[in-house]
């Protein structure tokens, strides 16, 4: 098969820069030469198999990748390594000390840890009086649609680190950033328990793919 398209993509990168490339073109560079099809065609096939979603592709494991047409062990390993490196970079950036002022700050801090998970996790961000992050920690892990949350442990840790306030954050693997009745009940219980120690629950943020929901912004805190 003619591989001229692969060469044209590399020339486009040199001439216009990396940000000018489409998702498929970037993916083709990672795939490189080899296989029955050219890298560009293989990249298009892979994205099509994932509904055009890079997020869906990033969630794929070795077994699923190898089942896609045009991907062998080598190409699958390259893709897994690329997404893992990207995730590690995001987590290192998120680990830097920060101050929380907005919902976007919360998503930037914890999105790299939980946005792509296939199961639910709840985290607590413990804040100083100046809204500086004292600590962030996972306080519960669950299934695809359910979490068991121990409010006492969340508040106990807030007292231990002398937090002035805290923020709850959890993900929805379903992709819908809409609070459930259980989410609202947990928020109320934690807020009430924290208030007993003069600690304020500032917000509860739900992260789902590229969407997020803030209890504070919607007037529920």
């Amino acid at each position: 098969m003619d591989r001229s398209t692969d060469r044209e993509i590399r020339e486009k990168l040199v001439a216009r820069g990396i940000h000018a490339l489409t998702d498929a073109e970037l993916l083709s560079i990672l795939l490189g030469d080899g296989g029955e099809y050219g890298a560009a065609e293989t990249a298009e096939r892979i994205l099509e198999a994932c509904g055009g979603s890079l997020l869906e592709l990033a969630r794929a494991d070795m077994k699923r990748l190898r089942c896609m047409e045009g991907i062998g062990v080598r190409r699958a390993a390259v893709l897994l390594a690329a997404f893992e490196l990207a995730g590690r970079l995001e987590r290192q950036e998120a680990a830097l000390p920060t101050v929380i002022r907005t919902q976007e700050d919360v998503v930037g801090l914890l999105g790299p840890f939980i946005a792509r998970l296939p199961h639910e996790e709840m985290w607590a961000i413990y804040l100083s009086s100046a809204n500086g992050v004292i600590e962030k920690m996972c306080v519960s892990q669950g299934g695809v649609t359910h979490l068991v949350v121990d409010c006492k442990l969340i508040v106990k840790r807030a007292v231990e680190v002398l937090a002035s306030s805290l923020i709850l954050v959890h993900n929805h693997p379903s992709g819908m950033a809409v609070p459930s009745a259980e989410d609202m009940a947990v928020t109320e219980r934690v807020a009430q328990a924290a208030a007993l120690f003069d600690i304020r629950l500032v917000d509860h943020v739900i992260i789902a793919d590229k969407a997020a929901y803030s209890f504070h912004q919607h007037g529920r805190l």
Side-chain angles (χ1 to χ4, degrees), residues 146-220:
H146 182 70
L147 277 171
V148 176
V149 179
D150 191 329
C151 300
K152 298 187 293 297
L153 291 179
I154 294 173
V155 177
K156 176 176 179 290
R157 187 56 183 166
V159 174
E160 291 173 345
V161 299
L162 302 178
S164 295
S165 59
L166 69 103
I167 297 173
L168 294 178
V169 188
H170 82 281
N171 64 312
H172 277 183
S174 66
M176 301 294 292
V178 179
S180 64
E182 184 178 0
D183 294 336
M184 291 185 281
V186 167
T187 303
E188 184 176 354
R189 291 201 303 271
V190 173
Q192 292 176 350
L196 295 175
F197 298 89
D198 198 26
I199 298 170
R200 181 184 170 213
L201 177 61
V202 177
D203 203 352
H204 183 175
V205 177
I206 300 171
I207 298 175
D209 288 346
K210 297 181 180 180
Y213 179 97
S214 163
F215 275 67
H216 175 73
Q217 287 191 2
H218 285 80
R220 290 182 166 174

Side-chain angles (χ1 to χ4, degrees), residues 13 41 114:
L13 185 155
E41 183 176 352
I114 66 176

Side-chain angles (χ1 to χ4, degrees), residues 1 11 13 19 66 85 106 130-131 183 207:
M1 179 171 291
E11 291 172 351
L13 185 155
H19 297 293
R66 291 186 63 188
L85 283 172
V106 174
N131 290 332
D183 294 336
I207 298 175

Side-chain angles (χ1 to χ4, degrees), residues 126-138:
Y126 298 105
L127 303 174
S128 68
S129 58
N131 290 332
V133 176
I134 299 172
E135 182 178 88
K136 58 181 183 292
M137 64 179 292
C138 180

